[in-house]
Amino acid sequence: MHRRTGLISAYIGLLAACLCWLAPPATAQPPKAVHSSPADGDCRSLAPGASDAAERAIAAACRQVAAGVWYTWGGGHGARPGPTYGQVDPTDPASEHDPERLGFDCSGLVRYAYAEATGDDLLNGVASAQFYTHRATGRFTAADGLAPLLPGDLLVWGTSQDLHHIAIYLGAGKMVEARQSGTKLMVSDVRLTGAYYGAVRVDPGPVTGHVFRTWGTGVWTKAAPSVRAARVYAFPGPTTIRVECQKHAERVTSDGYTNDAWSYLPDYRAWVTNIYIQGPAWLPGVPTCTF
């Protein structure tokens, strides 16, 4: 009886020693997550460094890709963020079925993704309004390329007067977009040729700076504080803007008002006459420009 017990004890000890040899050391750390090379159509954040909100926005957009949601012209611009039935684009024969399809256009998808990420409809508008948002924390030109970009940044195509397409950067040269009628939401290679204009990084936190609102429709911003200066961008309607500074410059008379004050808008890198900014002729609390 004692001999059998001894043999069993020895066997158990030998087995425990083998298991300990096979097990990892107690001090071993779990492997860190890595951003592997993407497979075709892989929709996820593909590089480190994105904010939590940007990661959530990407996840929201990618869920729509996985669901096979259609591009629809005008889709996603309902009273609340989310897919809507589209419209026929008179310039695109491929859009004939868009009124039958529940989906997004390019800016509708961006609006939805960041609303899902933040709980706030902070990018309600078309591509140009989203790019020139007063909630930007960084801006990049086409000449900057992709090197400074992080997942969640918004890429735009067009000109300063007509930004016509927007997409969400994933990293590793990939983006998620609602591209065109007749296709579903997709992951694409970033197109840096042709009309690529630049990118913007969205800050969903508290807005900094001097924030005002314009009035009127079709109000042009200018490259200099003069009505004769080159046009930069036209506000389609009342728009929330961030003012960096103001100065006395060319005297302007418009819509029954006369004023020589102009404000510099850093998000547009442009000027607008104070006539079209809601408030007094000289904006309170805004410093005088030194340039």
Side-chain angles (χ1 to χ4, degrees):
M1 184 71 178
H2 292 294
R3 183 172 179 271
R4 176 181 291 182
T5 301
L7 289 173
I8 292 174
S9 298
Y11 175 75
I12 292 174
L14 179 62
L15 178 61
C18 291
L19 291 174
C20 289
W21 180 81
L22 291 172
T27 58
Q29 299 297 316
K32 294 182 178 180
V34 296
H35 291 81
S36 58
S37 299
D40 289 343
D42 194 6
C43 194
R44 58 186 172 87
S45 180
L46 298 172
S51 68
D52 290 343
E55 294 278 9
R56 291 193 297 270
I58 289 172
C62 289
R63 286 194 294 271
Q64 299 300 302
V65 173
V69 174
W70 285 95
Y71 174 101
T72 57
W73 194 64
H77 293 286
R80 296 181 178 181
T84 62
Y85 290 99
Q87 308 167 33
V88 172
D89 178 355
T91 67
D92 184 5
S95 68
E96 62 177 328
H97 294 294
D98 285 5
E100 308 159 20
R101 291 170 172 164
L102 195 67
F104 299 96
D105 67 8
C106 62
S107 53
L109 177 62
V110 168
R111 176 195 181 192
Y112 169 79
Y114 268 92
E116 286 288 292
T118 65
D120 184 6
D121 191 11
L122 53 84
L123 291 177
N124 183 5
V126 297
S128 55
Q130 292 172 340
F131 176 75
Y132 289 120
T133 176
H134 61 288
R135 293 178 176 274
T137 187
R139 295 184 182 278
F140 311 92
T141 67
D144 293 325
L146 298 180
L149 302 188
L150 297 175
D153 291 348
L154 305 180
L155 314 168
V156 292
W157 287 260
T159 67
S160 61
Q161 297 185 30
D162 179 26
L163 295 174
H164 55 76
H165 188 59
I166 193 164
I168 303 173
Y169 188 54
L170 297 176
K174 300 286 187 179
M175 62 184 177
V176 56
E177 63 176 335
R179 185 168 182 177
Q180 62 192 39
S181 294
T183 67
K184 294 184 177 182
L185 308 187
M186 65 181 73
V187 173
S188 308
D189 293 328
V190 175
R191 301 179 291 277
L192 291 178
T193 56
Y196 177 67
Y197 185 78
V200 62
R201 184 166 300 150
V202 176
D203 181 1
V207 177
T208 60
H210 309 282
V211 177
F212 293 87
R213 191 161 176 82
T214 67
W215 65 275
T217 59
V219 176
W220 281 97
T221 58
K222 298 285 190 169
S226 168
V227 295
R228 295 178 295 276
R231 291 175 168 181
V232 176
Y233 177 77
F235 299 123
T239 303
T240 301
I241 57 172
R242 181 165 44 185
V243 176
E244 180 176 317
C245 60
Q246 59 189 336
K247 68 187 297 184
H248 294 289
E250 182 178 333
R251 189 177 183 87
V252 178
T253 297
S254 184
D255 288 289
Y257 299 92
T258 298
N259 194 359
D260 71 346
W262 290 73
S263 288
Y264 181 73
L265 314 181
D267 295 314
Y268 299 81
R269 298 174 184 170
W271 299 81
V272 66
T273 170
N274 282 17
I275 288 172
Y276 290 106
I277 300 178
Q278 297 179 23
W282 186 258
L283 301 176
V286 177
T288 301
C289 298
T290 58
F291 53 89

